[in-house]
Amino acid sequence: MSATPYSSEPAAAAPPEATVDIETAKLNAAQLAVREHFPSDAQYIGIGSGSTIVYVVEAIKALNLPNITNISFVPTGYQSRQVILKAGLRDIQLDSLPTGSLIDVAFDGADEVDDELNCIKGGGACLYQEKLVATQARKFVCVADYRKLQSRLLTKWPSIPIEVEPLATKRVLSQLRLLGSTNPALRDGHILKVGPIKTDQDNFIIDAPFPTLLVQRDVIAAKLDGKALTGKGEAGQWEVSALAFAIKAIEGVLSVGIFSGLNGLQAAGVGDGTGGQKPVAAYFGMADGRVVVLFADVDGHVNKRNPS
């Protein structure tokens, strides 16, 4: 049974009539995101693994910054590093950052984004390093196209990617079923005889389908209506962060492809020297050539900026 959100404020509308292709839509989103978030005095920039990241790097190069050779770019995996090097930029591994340093901004894509800026990531099997980089950044900025903008997670994207230690695969699959996942499965490589796909950490990926996820606003609205809804799996209904926490608690799980909780602005207020999982803003290239932006304030409230 699919969860029914209580809120009636969807972020996603029917896509406008197409005038540009998907790649152009990604390019438009990347250019605006870089223009609005790339700091002129940057030292460290995170570069993610999504399909839009090539356009992000192109947009950074197009800035023609005089100090570009002094900026170090932090990849989220092997493929991400190749994009950095191909562009002639200087790379640095996350564990080589000076102690106490934060990445100025991390740019990355997403498989789906809801209207509270929670994300599903991991379609490219780089979720662990993507989360490491996001939580080491002052802010994470998401760049995507309109297909990824949905009111709730697991609306169009079918499952949650989960990185697991190979020996724990059976245990994790069993526990996911108990949490309500319908037919969680080990992700196979593109060549079946090679076996399951492996991450940069030499782990496996499990894709776990769940009913459409609730956001915090749904749980609050249900309580105000006197309904006994906690979002902790009752009747198959999970709130985003509650499900992420429950999956991460399974022994053998390294990382969960749900990016939720604090954004970078909120994390700065906590003052523990780390960033947040959620983006402070998400840029969606639309089919009509415009760009829609969701952005959060320091309290985590999300606003939508429609293109003129």
Side-chain angles (χ1 to χ4, degrees):
M1 180 178 67
S2 178
T4 302
Y6 283 86
S7 173
S8 59
E9 301 179 33
E17 183 178 351
T19 57
V20 300
D21 60 27
I22 291 296
E23 298 308 309
T24 302
K26 294 176 183 178
L27 172 63
N28 293 339
Q31 290 176 336
L32 184 59
V34 168
R35 189 160 65 244
E36 294 189 346
H37 288 278
F38 196 97
S40 59
D41 60 348
Q43 287 185 292
Y44 305 108
I45 298 294
I47 297 296
S49 310
S51 62
T52 56
I53 292 307
V54 171
Y55 301 117
V56 168
V57 172
E58 288 179 358
I60 292 171
K61 291 281 288 184
L63 294 174
N64 292 317
L65 297 172
N67 63 331
I68 192 69
T69 57
N70 298 325
I71 302 172
S72 296
F73 293 82
V74 185
T76 58
Y78 174 81
Q79 292 178 330
S80 173
R81 182 170 184 264
Q82 300 314 302
V83 172
I84 293 169
L85 295 177
K86 185 178 180 180
L89 302 174
R90 183 172 69 182
D91 78 302
I92 183 173
Q93 294 300 317
L94 182 68
D95 60 358
S96 294
L97 291 176
T99 302
S101 296
L102 286 176
I103 297 166
D104 294 292
V105 58
F107 294 97
D108 205 349
D111 300 311
E112 199 163 62
V113 183
D114 70 21
D115 61 10
E116 288 189 0
L117 284 173
N118 300 298
C119 303
I120 290 178
K121 293 175 54 58
C126 298
L127 61 155
Y128 177 62
Q129 292 192 46
E130 288 172 342
K131 190 166 285 190
L132 283 178
V133 169
T135 55
Q136 195 62 33
R138 289 188 174 88
K139 56 183 180 179
F140 159 33
V141 173
C142 181
V143 183
D145 64 75
Y146 64 89
R147 299 172 301 173
K148 311 301 176 68
L149 173 59
Q150 301 296 331
S151 177
R152 301 293 183 273
L153 297 184
L154 297 179
T155 295
K156 294 291 183 66
W157 191 258
S159 57
I160 299 168
I162 303 162
E163 183 164 349
V164 302
E165 205 284 326
L167 286 176
T169 300
K170 285 187 178 181
R171 177 215 299 264
V172 175
L173 286 168
S174 176
Q175 292 298 307
L176 287 169
R177 294 186 188 100
L178 291 177
L179 291 177
S181 178
T182 53
N183 195 31
L186 191 61
R187 188 184 299 180
D188 286 322
H190 297 297
I191 302 174
L192 293 180
K193 67 180 181 180
V194 173
I197 193 170
K198 285 201 170 184
T199 68
D200 287 346
Q201 291 71 241
D202 217 27
N203 291 321
F204 290 166
I205 295 289
I206 289 175
D207 292 305
F210 280 89
T212 302
L213 301 183
L214 304 174
V215 295
Q216 288 184 351
R217 190 167 66 243
D218 297 329
V219 177
I220 293 170
K223 288 181 179 179
L224 292 175
D225 287 343
K227 301 182 185 297
L229 177 66
T230 66
K232 295 182 178 179
E234 65 270 30
Q237 294 185 300
W238 282 99
E239 185 271 331
V240 174
S241 293
L243 181 57
F245 183 83
I247 295 174
K248 186 65 170 64
I250 300 172
E251 195 67 39
V253 170
L254 176 65
S255 191
V256 182
I258 293 175
F259 285 53
S260 62
L262 301 181
N263 63 46
L265 300 175
Q266 294 171 299
V270 175
D272 64 356
T274 63
Q277 292 185 22
K278 286 170 65 171
V280 299
Y283 289 71
F284 302 93
M286 305 304 287
D288 62 1
R290 301 180 300 166
V291 178
V292 167
V293 184
L294 297 185
F295 60 98
D297 58 27
V298 293
D299 296 318
H301 299 129
V302 177
N303 302 286
K304 183 177 180 181
R305 190 173 83 213
N306 288 307
S308 57

